[in-house]
Amino acid sequence: MRHSIPTWLEVQADSDFSIHNLPFGVFSTQPNPTPRIGVAIGEYILDMHFLVSEGALDGLSFEIETLQEPVLNSFMALGNEAVRELRARLQLLLSQASTEREPIEEEGLILQSDATMHFPFMIGDYTDFYSSLEHAQNAGKLFRDPDKALFPNWRHLPVGYHGRASSIQLSGVNFHRPCGQIIDKERSTSENLIPKFSPTRALDFELEMATVIGKPSELGQRITAQNAEEHIFGFVLFNDWSARDIQRWEYQPLGPFLGKNFFSSISPWVVTFEALKHFRVKSPAQEPEVLDYLKTEGNRNFDIQLSVEIQAENSLPTVVTQTNFKHMYWNVAQQIAHHTINGCNLNTGDLLASGTISGSEPGSYGCLLEITENGRKSLTLSNNQERVFLQDYDSVIIKGWAEKDDIRVGFGSLFNKVLPAIISSRQ
């Protein structure tokens, strides 16, 4: 059992940002608009630039100047040993045994409510996996023979595709409903499908987690499933927003394109791999047996509770799903091993999304496609409005947290609002 570390800073018991978490982000304030690295603790942000300047981090074995840069990439590239060393020093500084409380309390702490959050790292590339067995089965049953819901390769490898990094944005950023080609149901027949240009009528969220790569790999280097975790800096909440009708028309034969790349979003705080080790659990049994390069041992999944809320304009949010990251069939070590088995290199800041996370029961499905059975049934929000897919001015709020032995580690929330489509008079 792991025991809680007493701290001189008042932190609520239900705070996502306990002394056992210490997630990393990038922030600025009105008096100091320069983005800088911070660590969340309770309602506050611990300013890394200040700690380095004050000498509070002197004696650490890595280049502490990386903590004075405007993004996390240089620090993340140092690997998990640097993360472990820094976390231990920060926990000491924040513990009741600290002798450096006064300067930190006076100048090194900023209220999160007074800060503006920025993108925490520069994304190199973005890959989206399809690693939830329950989601893959549910989606397959909606579009194919229920007895053949999974494609033949699904249980043999972590299926994934390369997405677009430039349209990934931060929590709090709102976006316009995307437009594209959708099937014109009035003019189409089963033998002849005819498209039309339209704003999507089937806008969906996808509840996901994303792995943030720290230590990079070289082109041609294979990362094994056994040492894959050495390359993981941490995790963020991820929403892979999807236009289902655009996706449905375009995805064959090359997969997702405009139905996915218009907008994705992440939570602002990166929870480190080190902070989540306490919440590791056994992965689901894999049948049939996977190939040798994908085999893992021990507890490789994470017991992270997840929820999604939809909030219509001028109303209270409604919880529409609750599930858990531990259900993932393909764990993150297997995703990394498969990603690099052909020699593909990973760069610091690469983002590997999990794919939609669903449980096995209604109420635990990770997207509206599953919840509403592709629009065949509706759900009711707190204001008694019905939804099959998202409407304009709806907001989606994703939350994630882990709890064990009276220790809580959370991600905060991921929040974005849908704005109306932009329609040109020439379209």
Side-chain angles (χ1 to χ4, degrees):
M1 178 181 291
R2 186 173 164 191
H3 297 286
S4 183
I5 300 172
T7 175
W8 52 261
L9 185 67
E10 183 177 349
V11 178
Q12 298 297 320
D14 62 351
S15 172
D16 278 355
F17 306 127
S18 68
I19 195 171
H20 298 279
N21 188 353
L22 303 180
F24 290 83
V26 170
F27 75 102
S28 65
T29 58
Q30 190 170 3
N32 185 354
T34 302
R36 55 200 189 275
I37 295 172
V39 169
I41 175 71
E43 298 178 345
Y44 296 90
I45 299 173
L46 190 57
D47 188 338
M48 293 297 101
H49 193 283
F50 171 81
L51 292 187
V52 172
S53 300
E54 288 293 304
L57 303 181
D58 287 355
L60 296 179
S61 65
F62 62 89
E63 297 179 9
I64 59 175
E65 290 77 17
T66 57
L67 295 169
Q68 293 186 306
E69 298 185 9
V71 289
L72 284 162
N73 292 62
S74 294
F75 174 65
M76 296 194 305
L78 297 176
N80 285 339
E81 185 55 44
V83 177
R84 285 190 287 270
E85 191 177 358
L86 177 59
R87 279 170 46 79
R89 175 66 65 87
L90 295 180
Q91 287 175 334
L92 178 61
L93 291 173
L94 293 167
S95 74
Q96 290 184 349
S98 173
T99 60
E100 302 183 54
R101 170 179 175 176
E102 186 173 339
I104 294 174
E105 196 170 22
E106 290 181 355
E107 297 184 65
L109 290 171
I110 294 91
L111 279 170
Q112 291 189 37
S113 58
D114 292 337
T116 298
M117 299 304 297
H118 301 272
F119 217 92
F121 53 90
M122 292 178 61
I123 297 180
D125 285 297
Y126 156 53
T127 300
D128 193 22
F129 285 95
Y130 190 47
S131 295
S132 165
L133 174 62
E134 291 79 8
H135 171 65
Q137 288 178 325
N138 290 338
K141 289 175 182 177
L142 287 171
F143 298 118
R144 292 183 293 279
D145 181 351
D147 293 329
K148 299 179 180 179
L150 298 179
F151 287 114
N153 65 348
W154 198 92
R155 289 182 182 270
H156 294 276
L157 56 87
V159 174
Y161 72 94
H162 292 290
R164 186 163 185 83
S166 64
S167 53
I168 299 176
Q169 301 294 318
L170 201 62
S171 177
V173 175
N174 303 325
F175 68 98
H176 292 276
R177 178 178 296 271
C179 299
Q181 289 192 23
I182 67 173
I183 296 171
D184 189 336
K185 294 181 179 179
E186 294 181 357
R187 298 169 59 210
S188 296
T189 65
S190 57
E191 293 80 21
N192 184 26
L193 298 178
I194 299 173
K196 66 177 181 179
F197 179 84
S198 170
T200 178
R201 298 176 181 177
L203 185 62
D204 201 353
F205 66 83
E206 287 194 359
L207 167 61
E208 303 191 22
M209 299 286 298
T211 305
V212 181
I213 296 299
K215 180 181 175 182
S217 65
E218 298 292 331
L219 186 66
Q221 174 189 354
R222 296 175 178 175
I223 300 174
T224 67
Q226 287 68 41
N227 67 14
E229 292 173 349
E230 298 173 10
H231 296 264
I232 300 172
F233 176 75
F235 298 87
V236 291
L237 302 174
F238 190 85
N239 192 338
D240 183 26
W241 297 82
S242 301
R244 299 299 187 187
D245 43 6
I246 296 174
Q247 180 184 358
R248 188 178 306 121
W249 171 241
E250 72 177 3
Y251 84 100
Q252 295 179 352
L254 293 182
F257 186 33
L258 301 185
K260 293 280 191 176
N261 68 6
F262 59 91
F263 188 81
S264 301
S265 53
I266 69 167
S267 52
W269 294 105
V270 186
V271 177
T272 63
F273 174 76
E274 293 300 315
L276 291 170
K277 281 183 174 180
H278 186 58
F279 306 98
R280 293 162 73 101
V281 292
K282 188 174 178 62
S283 300
Q286 294 182 321
E287 192 65 38
E289 186 178 24
V290 298
L291 296 180
D292 286 347
Y293 78 92
L294 289 170
K295 290 180 180 178
T296 56
E297 297 178 351
N299 295 338
R300 295 299 188 107
N301 280 33
F302 298 89
D303 184 2
I304 300 172
Q305 300 178 62
L306 298 163
S307 73
V308 179
E309 301 171 4
I310 296 177
Q311 183 174 13
E313 192 174 26
N314 300 320
S315 67
L316 296 173
T318 302
V319 176
V320 297
T321 192
Q322 292 179 304
T323 188
N324 197 297
F325 192 42
K326 68 183 179 182
H327 298 311
M328 302 302 288
Y329 186 88
W330 294 104
N331 62 54
V332 294
Q334 291 174 318
Q335 292 171 3
I336 291 171
H338 186 65
H339 202 308
T340 63
I341 191 63
N342 65 346
C344 174
N345 59 314
L346 294 180
N347 293 317
T348 301
D350 281 359
L351 203 61
L352 310 183
S354 62
T356 303
I357 303 167
S358 293
S360 58
E361 301 294 332
S364 66
Y365 299 158
C367 62
L368 289 174
L369 177 75
E370 296 173 77
I371 294 170
T372 70
E373 297 180 3
N374 195 25
R376 293 171 193 152
K377 63 179 186 180
S378 62
L379 60 87
T380 303
L381 302 184
S382 61
N383 58 0
N384 292 321
Q385 290 187 29
E386 302 290 318
R387 290 287 186 277
V388 290
F389 288 105
L390 296 168
Q391 296 186 10
D392 292 346
Y393 302 109
D394 283 350
S395 299
V396 175
I397 307 154
I398 296 177
K399 299 176 181 178
W401 67 98
E403 287 185 281
K404 181 182 177 183
D405 301 331
D406 295 325
I407 292 172
R408 182 181 174 100
V409 169
F411 291 78
S413 64
L414 169 54
F415 172 96
N416 306 95
K417 180 184 288 188
V418 181
L419 303 177
I422 300 174
I423 304 294
S424 169
S425 59
R426 299 173 62 184
Q427 293 169 337

